[in-house]
Amino acid sequence: MASFPLSVNEKLIARSRAIGELLAPTSPFDKKCGRGNWTVAFAPDGSYFAWSQGHCIVKLVPWAQCLHNFLLHGTKNVANSISTRLPRQNSDSGQKNKPCEHIIDCGDIVWSLAFGSSVPEKQSRCVNIEWHRFKFGQDQLLLATGLNNGRIKIWDVYTGKLLLNLMDHTEVVRDLTFAPDGSLILVSASRDKTLRVWDLKDDGNMMKVLRGHQNWVCGCAFSPDSSLLCSVGASKAVFLWDMDKYSMIRKLEGHHNDVVACEFSPDGALLATASYDTRVYVWDPHTGVILMEFGHLFPPPTPIFAGGANDRWVRSVSFSHDGLHIASLADDKMVRFWRIDEEYPVQVAPLNNGLCCTFSPDGSVLAAGQDGSVYFWATPRQVSSLQHLCRMAIRRVMPTSQVKNLPIPSKVVEFLCYQI
């Protein structure tokens, strides 16, 4: 990773500490075309890490063992060499759930990945699961892969076996997201201008097609309680959907170019969106108001020029589990870590040609993909204040409208609504 220029306001910002890297294998005849790493993902329980190495290949590695290798052997770690140190899957039933490395050939270019489990990420909403065509237990972990040909393949993470092949999309499946409530509802976003809702507990039956985008759909994300879905795409589109009624709630207006990534905060009170207009916006999804703006070009381009600042296109955005930090990845060869209450990044890191990023489940590590390889950094760490922890606890169960009706001082209301 090469050095990179910093703006005047960012010269004193701390550099993030590199944790390690997983480098895709190369050969003298390896074609660069097709090696784009458009997607990286952590299992919700932190047991596995998956990424697209390019050329149709997805690599699954046990995350704890991966971290151990970084500490033991230093930051550099070639992906192929990991297999010599990780246990392979065997026929011993007692080893079924022991994390094992797998290399999956998806048969086409992989654009999106998502882990899913019948165990809710938040234990408050448990759903009874019954599988029809194959046995499924509470300890099962699935990996969904979205492909260039419009297909979605569902894999058993523990065995590496193909379970389902979903084939209704007609163009690239650009993003995938599982409902966090353990219901095994999967939503896919495609360049065919649609979102599709799949019920994996019912043999992968397609339940609904969500229409509204006039151009490519680039990303989608569930709210933590699974009640809302955000979808983003070309032509500045940011849509919010009611996932109980499968209807559009509102369209968020504010971006000046294609919107390519989105993610809710852990309490569901905030929504971050990344756009080619060089900005990350943080919205109140319940009111459609922009609460914060993180610019990647100083001064920010005027709307008429925002589409042309292609050296600052923001490619990806991710919310940390602490609800205080956001990571963004842009074409100016930088990864930035922001605090939701500060104007400038608190840490930065260099990355050429970065395409995607995501926080680990505990928020301690950020993974970013680039041309088949993955790089990892330590994230900003601090003890959350009691006020913020209370705010998150309240906002997990109360939308903005209810908070504003509470008989409490106006300053407290503003704090709970992330307005101060």
Side-chain angles (χ1 to χ4, degrees):
M1 293 178 287
S3 61
F4 57 94
L6 291 173
S7 68
V8 174
N9 293 313
E10 294 173 330
K11 285 183 178 178
L12 300 178
I13 298 172
R15 297 280 187 100
S16 296
R17 179 173 59 89
I19 296 292
E21 55 193 49
L22 296 173
L23 305 180
T26 59
S27 68
F29 306 103
D30 190 19
K31 294 181 179 180
K32 194 72 171 177
C33 180
R35 280 191 59 199
N37 180 359
W38 293 99
T39 178
V40 294
F42 288 95
D45 62 358
S47 59
Y48 275 93
F49 176 74
W51 82 100
S52 168
Q53 287 189 350
H55 302 313
C56 314
I57 301 299
V58 170
K59 191 73 172 284
L60 272 165
V61 295
W63 175 236
Q65 183 65 52
C66 191
L67 273 179
H68 175 74
N69 289 340
F70 290 150
L71 296 174
L72 194 62
H73 300 282
T75 59
K76 287 190 178 293
N77 204 339
V78 178
N80 269 0
S81 67
I82 298 179
S83 61
T84 63
R85 297 188 292 272
L86 296 183
R88 291 284 186 172
Q89 184 70 35
N90 56 46
S91 59
D92 183 0
S93 60
Q95 296 290 320
K96 179 181 178 182
N97 296 334
K98 186 175 181 180
C100 300
E101 174 193 331
H102 293 289
I103 297 174
I104 297 175
D105 187 345
C106 295
D108 205 343
I109 296 172
V110 180
W111 285 86
S112 49
L113 294 172
F115 282 97
S117 171
S118 60
V119 179
E121 294 180 25
K122 302 296 182 185
Q123 296 296 324
S124 60
R125 291 184 64 184
C126 190
V127 178
N128 292 323
I129 302 299
E130 179 184 355
W131 282 79
H132 298 272
R133 282 171 42 196
F134 50 90
K135 187 178 179 181
F136 187 89
Q138 285 288 313
D139 59 352
Q140 192 90 10
L141 185 62
L142 305 180
L143 179 70
T145 57
L147 307 182
N148 192 68
N149 59 10
R151 295 191 177 188
I152 302 167
K153 293 186 176 181
I154 311 297
W155 309 83
D156 185 318
V157 170
Y158 298 127
T159 65
K161 292 181 179 178
L162 179 64
L163 300 177
L164 290 170
N165 195 352
L166 313 178
M167 297 182 289
D168 283 283
H169 280 298
T170 58
E171 297 286 345
V172 170
V173 179
R174 190 60 188 84
D175 200 15
L176 295 164
T177 182
F178 275 96
D181 62 5
S183 61
L184 289 174
I185 298 299
L186 174 69
V187 174
S188 54
S190 172
R191 288 182 179 175
D192 65 11
K193 307 177 185 178
T194 69
L195 298 126
R196 294 175 190 259
V197 185
W198 312 84
D199 187 355
L200 297 194
K201 72 178 184 292
D202 186 20
D203 299 340
N205 178 50
M206 190 182 69
M207 302 167 58
K208 196 74 177 178
V209 180
L210 303 181
R211 305 182 189 275
H213 286 266
Q214 300 302 309
N215 290 283
W216 289 359
V217 190
C218 299
C220 56
F222 268 104
S223 63
D225 65 359
S226 304
S227 66
L228 297 178
L229 180 82
C230 176
S231 62
V232 298
S235 302
K236 316 170 191 176
V238 180
F239 292 163
L240 284 174
W241 306 84
D242 182 326
M243 292 307 288
D244 292 324
K245 301 177 181 178
Y246 300 114
S247 61
M248 188 190 301
I249 299 174
R250 63 174 58 90
K251 182 177 180 180
L252 304 181
E253 305 280 356
H255 279 297
H256 306 292
N257 203 340
D258 296 353
V259 190
V260 293
C262 60
E263 189 164 39
F264 284 90
S265 62
D267 59 4
L270 303 174
L271 171 68
T273 57
S275 170
Y276 287 167
D277 66 8
T278 77
R279 298 169 173 91
V280 168
Y281 285 153
V282 180
W283 313 74
D284 183 327
H286 303 286
T287 64
V289 173
I290 298 173
L291 300 176
M292 306 151 213
E293 175 184 335
F294 300 132
H296 295 65
L297 184 63
F298 301 95
T302 58
I304 194 171
F305 294 114
N310 57 1
D311 62 335
R312 295 295 191 278
W313 281 2
V314 187
R315 296 279 181 179
S316 185
V317 67
S318 183
F319 239 114
S320 177
H321 85 302
D322 64 8
L324 289 172
H325 292 92
I326 293 173
S328 65
L329 188 156
D331 281 348
D332 61 354
K333 305 178 183 179
M334 285 180 63
V335 178
R336 293 171 172 86
F337 295 92
W338 311 80
R339 269 188 60 102
I340 61 172
D341 55 358
E342 295 188 19
E343 184 179 0
Y344 297 109
V346 293
Q347 287 185 17
V348 293
L351 182 67
N352 290 329
N353 304 317
L355 297 174
C356 57
C357 67
T358 189
F359 281 96
S360 60
D362 66 357
S364 64
V365 174
L366 183 82
Q370 169 232 49
D371 290 337
S373 300
V374 191
Y375 299 90
F376 301 89
W377 292 276
T379 60
R381 303 290 283 172
Q382 67 182 76
V383 177
S384 298
S385 67
L386 180 59
Q387 292 97 322
H388 175 65
L389 294 176
C390 291
R391 173 169 61 182
M392 290 185 67
I394 292 171
R395 292 313 308 269
R396 282 191 177 99
V397 296
M398 296 187 71
T400 304
S401 58
Q402 293 183 16
V403 171
K404 289 185 174 180
N405 289 329
L406 292 174
I408 54 178
S410 59
K411 286 293 183 183
V412 179
V413 171
E414 291 177 3
F415 177 79
L416 292 176
C417 293
Y418 291 90
Q419 294 176 344
I420 57 172

